[in-house]
Amino acid sequence: MAKVAIVTGASSGIGRTSAIALSKAGWSIALFARRIDSLLETKSLCADPERILAVQGDVTNEEDVKNLFKATVDKFGRLDLLFNNAGISAKQIPIEDLPLSKFQEIVNVNLVGTFLCTREAVRIFKSQSPQGGRIINNGSISAYTPRPHSAPYTATKHAVLGMTKSTLLDGRNFNITCTQIDIGNAQTDMAGSHSAGALQPNGQTIPEQMMDVTHVGEAVAYIAGLPHEVTVLTFNIMATGMPFVGRG
């Protein structure tokens, strides 16, 4: 029987690439995002579209999230993997110029959305037979080292690392494991502008090395395929030349 995954933020970028890689590896997948047309495009790119469910919704909406998990179990019978991928960032502006509404928007998507999906996944993992499952959280290089003027994004990614550790600890006795994948400079719509020029701590704006996003999808599929008795707590994948080790 094929294993079943949920991928949030599956309409483009890392979510789309990871869904394609999981499908190629034989997974059945529920895709989740706000843009149904883009979700259907992701579905068409998967190895077996007949085993793909597209669910429109918002990770910050509790009822949308509950509907996602119910629809997944109704269609596929169980859940083996949640990839908490949905996330947003803000323009690099000084914190004194940052509106509260923008800060709260980033917290809601990156942290509250991760919480809501994790809660529903854990409920299913504990109740199903055989018991257990795996969660992969999309962290960031910024979970460890910030870029300039990135307080809301950096704060949420540090918080996601705490949630990753707590989920792993609390899931031990239920065959539940949790990984944070920390991605640096994958070529996506969200991060692609770094190749043209990114603000550095010394005030300069310089082009940064990027990597093909397909490598991220392959890494997600690899981690997803590990048995539950094996845990990868954190997994860093980044363009070799990007400024992180010694950033700034």
Side-chain angles (χ1 to χ4, degrees):
M1 184 177 178
K3 289 187 175 182
V4 179
I6 287 175
V7 178
T8 69
S11 57
S12 63
I14 290 166
R16 172 175 286 180
T17 302
S18 299
I20 292 169
L22 288 166
S23 178
K24 185 178 179 180
W27 288 72
S28 297
I29 310 166
L31 309 174
F32 188 66
R34 292 175 295 180
R35 296 175 293 164
I36 188 62
D37 55 336
S38 298
L39 280 183
L40 294 175
E41 184 178 347
T42 300
K43 177 178 178 177
S44 71
L45 294 170
C46 289
D48 186 355
E50 294 300 315
R51 288 166 52 191
I52 307 297
L53 173 67
V55 181
Q56 184 179 22
D58 188 331
V59 293
T60 69
N61 184 299
E62 186 173 19
E63 291 307 312
D64 284 359
V65 172
K66 287 181 177 179
N67 175 64
L68 164 67
F69 283 82
K70 182 179 185 302
T72 301
V73 174
D74 285 349
K75 181 170 179 63
F76 299 118
R78 61 177 288 113
L79 179 67
D80 300 284
L81 172 71
L82 165 64
F83 181 25
N84 273 319
N85 169 69
I88 59 172
S89 63
K91 292 181 179 179
Q92 289 176 274
I93 60 175
I95 192 169
E96 66 268 26
D97 297 325
L98 183 73
L100 175 61
S101 59
K102 176 55 68 173
F103 182 87
Q104 289 175 327
E105 180 186 8
I106 294 169
V107 169
N108 283 340
V109 175
N110 294 1
L111 183 57
V112 176
T114 296
F115 157 71
L116 288 173
C117 291
T118 297
R119 184 186 68 183
E120 298 307 309
V122 168
R123 284 175 173 168
I124 293 170
F125 291 159
K126 286 185 176 182
S127 65
Q128 66 190 3
S129 181
Q131 193 177 62
R134 183 181 299 273
I135 297 173
I136 301 176
N137 291 326
N138 189 342
S140 173
I141 299 298
S142 293
Y144 308 91
T145 306
R147 289 185 177 276
H149 306 315
S150 66
Y153 183 79
T154 297
T156 58
K157 292 305 183 178
H158 275 68
V160 168
L161 180 57
M163 184 167 292
T164 299
K165 292 178 179 179
S166 290
T167 303
L168 177 62
L169 177 63
D170 295 341
R172 277 181 183 172
N173 295 330
F174 305 95
N175 207 26
I176 299 169
T177 188
C178 190
T179 294
Q180 180 162 305
I181 184 166
D182 298 307
I183 303 158
N185 283 14
Q187 190 69 55
T188 65
D189 291 342
M190 184 171 169
S193 61
H194 293 161
S195 62
L199 180 64
Q200 305 298 310
N202 65 0
Q204 291 183 315
T205 298
I206 62 172
E208 294 186 1
Q209 184 179 354
M210 308 296 292
M211 66 176 174
D212 192 318
V213 70
T214 58
H215 299 303
V216 179
E218 291 167 356
V220 169
Y222 167 72
I223 296 167
L226 292 170
H228 294 320
E229 58 265 26
V230 177
T231 291
V232 179
L233 175 59
T234 59
F235 186 105
N236 169 245
I237 180 168
M238 64 182 183
T240 301
M242 77 164 293
F244 170 54
V245 180
R247 181 182 279 188

